[in-house]
Amino acid sequence: KAGVTQTPRYLIKTRGQQVTLSCSPISGHRSVSWYQQTPGQGLQFLFEYFSETQRNKGNFPGRFSGRQFSNSRSEMNVSTLELGDSALYLCARAGSQYFGPGTRLTVL
Amino acid sequence: AQKITQTQPGMFVQEKEAVTLDCTYDTSDQSYGLFWYKQPSSGEMIFLIYQGSYDEQNATEGRYSLNFQKARKSANLVISASQLGDSAMYFCAMSSNNAGNMLTFGGGTRLMVKP
């Protein structure tokens, strides 16, 4: 099993709103990575958190932010949503082999 | 910078036949890892197989094998005895020891298995 839970699975928002997505790796895994998948840009790395610290960040605007809690759960926040933020957001746990089911965000 | 190239946007294969999905990579790092994932229409990214840059033998996982040719910088996925359930998008990805757990993905290949 992948051992990564993502909530919610589907989300519809309107432009200008903000959204928070959640990712929970199974217990003991301290690293979480986030990816955005769109038809036009493919799969792109957003950021990685390890033991509550951001260790790596992709080339995304500051509207995209994240954090990690002491129980390894991670949240990703997107403020001032744009139509182009519509995507599948995937979260992976340590070693990047295993991904969660993803959150499909639609911005109207 | 790392780059992954998958030159086959779509492929057909007859059920029960073998198929090879191409992947070439570019990196200046000496230590790196290569991954293959399957993504069905549900969107979930399913890990298939992994090859480390220092692994001398090609990786094998059931019907999946990775044809690793380091000098040519290629890491092709071979699926033997294709099944209808193999129809999906397939992504090649790369990690580097210098970049934590960050993966760089190729554009993917859509595989369609014909009955």
Side-chain angles (χ1 to χ4, degrees):
Chain A
K1 290 188 176 180
V4 182
T5 303
Q6 288 188 251
T7 56
R9 293 294 310 279
Y10 302 91
L11 205 50
I12 299 175
K13 292 286 188 178
T14 57
R15 280 181 301 176
Q17 286 187 312
Q18 68 95 26
V19 67
T20 299
L21 311 182
S22 180
C23 169
S24 294
I26 60 173
S27 177
H29 289 271
R30 296 181 294 170
S31 172
V32 169
S33 301
W34 288 89
Y35 295 83
Q36 181 198 62
Q37 185 178 23
T38 60
Q41 299 299 317
L43 280 148
Q44 294 184 289
F45 172 77
L46 278 157
F47 29 64
E48 178 194 357
Y49 284 87
F50 181 82
S51 294
E52 303 177 59
T53 301
Q54 188 179 88
R55 184 159 74 172
N56 219 340
K57 190 177 191 303
N59 188 24
F60 278 82
R63 300 185 298 107
F64 290 81
S65 63
R67 59 178 176 169
Q68 187 179 31
F69 301 94
S70 58
N71 63 355
S72 294
R73 187 176 73 88
S74 177
E75 288 183 346
M76 190 194 88
N77 185 275
V78 188
S79 62
T80 320
L81 283 166
E82 300 176 0
L83 295 179
D85 297 332
S86 294
L88 178 66
Y89 290 89
L90 291 160
C91 170
R93 67 174 172 90
S96 300
Q97 289 178 308
Y98 299 107
F99 283 76
T103 295
R104 196 170 292 277
L105 171 66
T106 302
V107 182
L108 302 175
Chain B
Q2 301 172 21
K3 187 177 180 181
I4 295 281
T5 302
Q6 295 180 251
T7 57
Q8 306 151 313
M11 287 189 69
F12 283 96
V13 64
Q14 200 68 40
E15 191 180 9
K16 299 181 184 178
E17 290 186 349
V19 63
T20 298
L21 307 184
D22 294 341
C23 172
T24 57
Y25 61 92
D26 189 22
T27 182
S28 56
D29 294 329
Q30 297 301 308
S31 179
Y32 51 88
L34 295 155
F35 300 76
W36 276 94
Y37 291 89
K38 172 185 178 182
Q39 187 178 44
S41 56
S42 63
E44 186 170 5
M45 198 70 75
I46 301 168
F47 167 74
L48 296 177
I49 197 167
Y50 168 82
Q51 179 88 38
S53 58
Y54 291 114
D55 294 340
E56 294 185 355
Q57 289 194 328
N58 287 340
T60 301
E61 291 286 350
R63 294 187 299 112
Y64 305 106
S65 60
L66 199 152
N67 184 1
F68 181 46
Q69 298 187 44
K70 195 170 181 177
R72 298 181 59 184
K73 292 189 174 180
S74 73
N76 298 339
L77 177 70
V78 180
I79 305 175
S80 63
S82 297
Q83 302 172 356
L84 295 178
D86 293 335
S87 294
M89 283 292 292
Y90 288 81
F91 291 94
C92 180
M94 166 180 229
S95 68
S96 166
N97 283 5
N98 294 327
N101 288 318
M102 183 184 82
L103 286 174
T104 302
F105 284 87
T109 295
R110 180 171 297 281
L111 177 67
M112 291 152 281
V113 181
K114 297 186 291 184

